[in-house]
Amino acid sequence: MNSLNFEHELNLQHTSSHNSNLLDPEEFRRQGHMIIDFLADYYADIEKYPVRSQVEPGYLHKRLPKSTPHDPEPIKTILQDVQDHIVPGITHWQSPNFFAYFQCSSSIAGFLGEMLCTGFNVVGFNWIASPVATELETIVMDWLGEMLNLPKSFLFSGNGGGVIQGTTCEAILCTMVAARDQMLCQIGRENAGKLVVYGSDQTHSALQKAAHIAGIHPKNFRAIKTTKSTSFALSPDSLRSTICADIEAGLVPLYLCATVGTTSTTAVDPLGSLCDVAKDYGLWVHVDAAYAGSACICPEFRQFMDGIEAANSLSLNAHKWLFTPLDCCCLWVKDPSALIKSLSTNPEFLRNKASDSKQVVDYKDWQITLSRRFRALKLWFVLRSYGVANLKNFMRSHVEMAKLFEGLVAMDKRFEIVVPRNFAMICFRVLPSTMGRGAYQNGKVVDNGQKLLKEEITTANELNQKLLESMNASGRVYMTHTVLEDMYVIRFAVGASLVEERHVIMAWKVVQEHATAILSNN
């Protein structure tokens, strides 16, 4: 063997030896520091990136090799490719100029807890599989429940309890399946086709998806119309009349999803009144507080949860506004046994004395999947690292910044705020009256005919859509939209962990600049 081939063989042996320990502590330390440095630099530079990714569909296939590398590649090379090819395809959810959807907020504490979760990599499907994963989760869910001033009936310290799901979709599906099985025990499984699920036309699409998966007939899904006159909240009278019509048709009311902080407008459904209606007809009431629930740790927002004591279940996403990385949906139920009866399986290979004793929680029976991550660690880190007082202040600062933006919009007569602000999100649009004479004069409809009015609404919608696309294409900000009573409306949500007043002021300047340019062209 010549010296060149011998050296090549030694290199291959070294590579094989190096990779034989996939969790070598020193190599983990070296590469881990590189990843932390990379992320720290990313956050230091995050404002330099276009907020919404500017790539075209299929861009990555043109940049990466067609197949997996045969030989190992160094972390330095991989990280360079992350910078060159992965980062351009990211829409930067953690950017302080991200005002779209609802933010997926994060924090150093959340990162560190997530690192520990991944590092321990335990699968806590039952208590015995890792007792601390279960016990920490029960403790943290009671902590957060007490911060929200939930009735004791939702806590482990009462007769209820909490579980960390992945998303609201899972929380709604699990509770709907529990409600379905409870009802079918009363009326017989042959009547499954009669079950009806209720929400408003503002309820998140997760409800319809869950109903589909749970076997609810598509014709038995009710999205009850809301109006601007009620700020797009679900009317108890409308709910009652819909239920009565279904009962007269021989159907069986099953499940109501009420919302605290809808996606389109952050509307708040009147929980107490809705629960009164639901009680009359035996519905399971789930409260979806995915976005706004976190804010209810502040006394000034807790009023939006009034009536929760009559509901059956409640969920909120700590990964939206409680600075805990995705995924972390907190679900509380008054009757855990309802979940367990519907979702438990007990194969022999999972049998153990602790479970048989009925003295422990086996979270596999509270969720769709068997396996589960140690998510409680990151929530525990966040709650401990910042404390209740700071968490309240973080959210209050976001609300104050939303108020600032609201005031700026109100001062520009070309725009209107479409619905009242409840939390930290503003719905606004350019007014049709900015486009000159027609069906509007001084912001009011005049008698020029409905056809002209519809034409102006259509034109206004096109204008606002063009404005949003123009702003997002600039890369300076990212916002999203909704449609309310045929009006195309721009949503401005404040909630990024890094956002400051200067970002809000800059965003408003972007709105004004692009609106001026578009209106002058029109």
Side-chain angles (χ1 to χ4, degrees), residues 435-456:
M435 295 174 294
R437 297 173 64 187
Y440 284 89
Q441 285 181 10
N442 298 321
K444 295 181 180 180
V445 180
V446 297
D447 188 17
N448 285 348
Q450 284 300 111
K451 182 180 179 183
L452 185 56
L453 178 59
K454 287 180 180 178
E455 287 176 357
E456 285 204 0

Side-chain angles (χ1 to χ4, degrees), residues 237-257:
D237 290 339
S238 297
L239 173 65
R240 187 181 293 276
S241 62
T242 306
I243 290 173
C244 289
D246 285 334
I247 292 173
E248 285 183 20
L251 300 175
V252 180
L254 173 68
Y255 185 99
L256 167 67
C257 182

